[in-house]
Amino acid sequence: MNLKNRVAYITGGSKGIGYGVAEKLAAAGLKVAISGRTLETVQKAARRLGNEETVLALQSDVTKHGDEEAAIQKILNHWGQLDVVLANAGVGHFAPVDEMSEEHWHQMINTNLNGVFHTLKASVEALKKSKGYYMTLASLAGTNFFPSGAGYNATKFGVVGFTQAAMLDLRKYDIKVSTIMPGSVATHFNNNEPDEKDSWKIQPEDIGELVLDLLKMHPRTLPSKIEVRPSRPDKK
């Protein structure tokens, strides 16, 4: 894919992995739209990334299909095309299954799983026109289960399955579909405050480099499921 002036949309793009990917794509010459639930927060992130000609801040709650439809339409109105989508928005709550609240269960299902469907459903016609790329941000938790992870595991296993099936459905339109499955990443996820203790982890910009590598792949080749983990685990 020739990246210059291509248009990318990243959900949950105001911080963490989403912001790290947006930063790398903007530096590579793409126009980037980022969204989040709070417009002011997204606008602050967008100002750090670039100017209004190259970065667009959008308010969208991915649990609401109408929000994602409106966000995609604003991108099309602003730049006239959409080439790359990263469904990145996600939440995590961790507790033994007998202690997990219904609120936390449904929040994870609605954000992590329903959200990726809403984003794809809203963007798929634009991606058909551009022969674009749809990516989801899953997790190694989408293949490796662990104690207190029943809700999070369920959503990420679901994201992996959804994305792989969507890949088979959409490749006839020359849309490429991949899911990225990181291990430990230095982000604010689960109320973490990234600092030196997280230096051994994958950094958000590393995922940005991975996304760029996927976009630069020859169109005949599709890495459809990518596991990525720290090269050396934390020494405790």
Side-chain angles (χ1 to χ4, degrees):
M1 183 182 288
N2 180 6
L3 302 183
K4 191 69 174 178
N5 291 322
R6 296 283 187 166
V7 176
Y9 172 47
I10 301 169
T11 67
S14 65
K15 61 182 180 180
I17 291 174
Y19 184 86
V21 175
E23 193 170 37
K24 287 294 183 180
L25 295 189
L30 284 85
K31 297 174 180 177
V32 181
I34 58 173
S35 71
R37 288 177 296 177
T38 306
L39 183 58
E40 182 180 1
T41 301
V42 181
Q43 288 173 331
K44 288 180 180 178
R47 286 193 290 270
R48 294 195 302 271
L49 287 169
N51 57 47
E52 293 181 357
E53 293 183 3
T54 59
V55 183
L56 182 64
L58 300 168
Q59 186 281 325
S60 181
D61 180 347
V62 298
T63 68
K64 301 174 181 177
H65 183 245
D67 276 18
E68 282 297 271
E69 283 189 316
I72 297 299
Q73 191 57 55
K74 287 177 181 177
I75 294 169
L76 296 175
N77 291 344
H78 194 70
W79 285 315
Q81 66 189 74
L82 180 61
D83 304 283
V84 180
V85 175
L86 173 62
N88 165 75
V91 297
H93 301 290
F94 304 95
V97 67
D98 56 316
E99 299 175 15
M100 180 173 294
S101 70
E102 288 187 48
E103 178 186 3
H104 283 171
W105 171 268
H106 289 295
Q107 186 183 24
M108 285 188 285
I109 293 290
N110 288 333
T111 304
N112 300 354
L113 190 52
N114 292 344
V116 300
F117 170 73
H118 294 157
T119 302
L120 177 57
K121 192 71 173 175
S123 63
V124 68
E125 294 304 320
L127 292 174
K128 286 179 182 178
K129 292 179 181 178
S130 66
K131 297 182 178 180
Y133 210 135
Y134 180 79
M135 303 179 191
T136 62
L137 204 290
S139 169
L140 289 181
T143 191
N144 303 318
F145 48 85
F146 54 89
S148 296
Y152 192 69
N153 283 142
T155 61
K156 292 304 184 178
F157 270 70
V159 169
V160 172
F162 169 83
T163 310
Q164 294 295 281
M167 177 267 296
L168 297 176
D169 289 339
L170 299 179
R171 59 184 177 177
K172 64 186 176 185
Y173 302 109
D174 292 320
I175 297 174
K176 298 177 82 172
V177 179
S178 297
T179 188
I180 300 171
M181 304 167 64
S184 299
V185 184
T187 70
H188 294 85
F189 190 75
N190 200 27
N191 298 315
N192 179 58
E193 191 62 39
D195 57 24
E196 186 57 32
K197 72 179 185 302
D198 299 303
S199 62
W200 63 276
K201 297 179 180 178
I202 300 164
Q203 301 300 306
E205 59 267 27
D206 300 338
I207 303 299
E209 291 285 357
L210 175 56
V211 170
L212 280 175
D213 288 342
L214 290 173
L215 296 178
K216 292 174 182 178
M217 290 288 294
H218 194 285
R220 66 173 171 250
T221 304
L222 176 62
S224 58
K225 183 169 67 172
I226 303 97
E227 293 189 3
V228 55
R229 49 179 50 80
S231 57
R232 298 187 67 180
D234 187 20
K235 295 180 180 179
K236 294 182 179 179

